[in-house]
Amino acid sequence: MFTSQTSSFQESIDVDEREGDFDNEEIAGYSQKIQQINSYYAIYYYQSTSLTLLDTSLAPEAEPELRSYISRRLSKGALLGGMGNIATVELSIPEQAVGCYCCLLEQEKSPQQPEADGNGWVVCLLGDSEKGLNLFRIELDKYVQGLQGSLTLEMLNLETHIRPYLNCWYDESVMHIHRVVLLLQANVGYLLHAALSHKLVEVTGADERTKADVARFIKAASLQGLVQEDTTTASLCKAMSEDSNTNLIINCSTSPPTLTNTVSNRFCDEWIQAFLNAAERFNPFLLRQILENFKLKAIQDMNNLKRFIRQAEMSHYALFRCCLFLQNCGNGDVLLQNARAEHSSFPEACGIINVLEEFLSEQAQGMLY
């Protein structure tokens, strides 16, 4: 039983994490390829059936090919207002085929301009692959939506705001996880644990970009919204946030940063090397996939624990299996914290959780001697 759990954990780390398949020379080449990735953008004004180019970083021979592709998508109704669409496009660029994120930002409707209904701006962000960009769909949607209030027919702020904003799309929407891992290095395990356990993280002595990077990393690693929650779970999150003595503090005024109130466990620590390996390769897409696999494994373990708790209410053997599961998964503290919040209104389940918490506490004390 537990051999398969260990195997499952290794497989969850190894999805797209193929370090063992490369020798040193090949890994160096793979890292170099990621470092040299090119990103592009284009923005058009869409009116009725015509597209007018406003600005682009594409080569002159590639832009008409992209415009033709977008026109076909629009004619098929494949671009809906405010909803990003990701596909692979082949253009006259060094990469030939790249991932292309397109979003139609509709012009605000006005009684004075009824003919403008359906008009708007088409924003295209291009780079890496379709699969890679899909991993960052939420970030890309948010980044493009950030342009909505700046777009006007006159485009007077093209050079001062819109062009610099679009030029930074890759760095701002894709590279934040990479920057956090480089910042914290082996300490990233503490941040992973804080994200799973609803712990508030304070970043001091850092610029606003670093603070935003850490906040986005935590949001990406958190299970909030992905697991069943009730008002008690929300209360738990609020209580954890208000207890300043448990806040993880990252002081960036020192190099490397100094961390205070650090808590981790074996589960989070086992993922650290996978994050470091991907960061060394400058591969933000692999980093995001590892983060998604981390969350998936945590959710699977949480669901297994809930199943064991239900069974343990009727079987002492199931309670024994539950104890062994918590001992072997390495994430018992986080799982029980979430289980207690979710089962607070079920006395029998709370009794089982009390027994399990005592078991983990005894195990922890035993390791000290």
Side-chain angles (χ1 to χ4, degrees), residues 103-323:
C103 185
L104 171 61
L105 298 176
E106 293 182 316
Q107 187 175 338
E108 187 175 347
K109 297 178 182 178
S110 168
Q112 290 75 30
Q113 292 180 302
E115 71 280 0
D117 189 22
N119 295 354
W121 295 266
V122 177
V123 180
C124 299
L125 309 175
L126 305 97
D128 193 68
S129 65
E130 178 181 348
K131 179 182 178 182
L133 293 188
N134 263 309
L135 291 169
F136 292 90
R137 178 183 290 272
I138 294 176
E139 287 85 353
L140 294 173
D141 282 340
K142 185 175 181 180
Y143 195 74
V144 170
Q145 293 295 333
L147 271 178
Q148 184 81 60
S150 304
L151 297 173
T152 63
L153 293 176
E154 297 81 10
M155 295 292 282
L156 298 178
N157 58 350
L158 174 62
E159 293 188 6
T160 59
H161 176 69
I162 295 175
R163 181 177 295 158
Y165 188 88
L166 289 174
N167 261 319
C168 293
W169 77 263
Y170 183 83
D171 203 35
E172 294 299 325
S173 301
V174 174
M175 293 299 295
H176 55 286
I177 296 175
H178 184 261
R179 287 194 293 269
V180 170
V181 176
L182 289 184
L183 175 71
L184 297 181
Q185 293 291 318
N187 288 328
V188 73
Y190 299 124
L191 199 59
L192 293 171
H193 188 275
L196 289 183
S197 55
H198 314 290
K199 199 173 187 179
L200 186 66
V201 177
E202 298 180 36
V203 181
T204 62
D207 55 27
E208 292 304 313
R209 185 196 204 186
T210 300
K211 292 179 180 179
D213 284 347
V214 172
R216 292 164 72 192
F217 183 99
I218 294 171
K219 185 175 181 179
S222 171
L223 302 183
Q224 284 188 289
L226 297 178
V227 297
Q228 183 179 347
E229 294 182 350
D230 55 18
T231 54
T232 308
T233 309
S235 300
L236 169 68
C237 299
K238 187 173 185 293
M240 292 287 290
S241 299
E242 290 176 348
D243 186 358
S244 59
N245 293 325
T246 68
N247 294 350
L248 174 62
I249 301 173
I250 303 174
N251 182 1
C252 295
S253 63
T254 62
S255 182
T258 304
L259 279 69
T260 308
N261 298 332
T262 54
V263 180
S264 189
N265 57 29
R266 180 161 47 85
F267 175 80
C268 294
D269 291 345
E270 285 176 337
W271 289 83
I272 293 174
Q273 196 57 51
F275 279 97
L276 295 180
N277 290 346
E280 288 174 4
R281 297 186 205 169
F282 298 90
N283 193 330
F285 305 100
L286 178 55
L287 274 170
R288 185 52 175 265
Q289 185 63 66
I290 291 171
L291 190 58
E292 293 301 319
N293 294 343
F294 167 81
K295 290 165 59 176
L296 177 61
K297 187 66 173 69
I299 291 173
Q300 289 172 340
D301 286 350
M302 210 169 294
N303 289 335
N304 284 332
L305 177 61
K306 288 192 287 187
R307 177 167 54 85
F308 283 138
I309 289 175
R310 289 195 300 268
Q311 295 171 352
E313 294 176 8
M314 300 174 288
S315 165
H316 289 294
Y317 176 67
L319 179 60
F320 172 71
R321 290 179 62 200
C322 200
C323 290

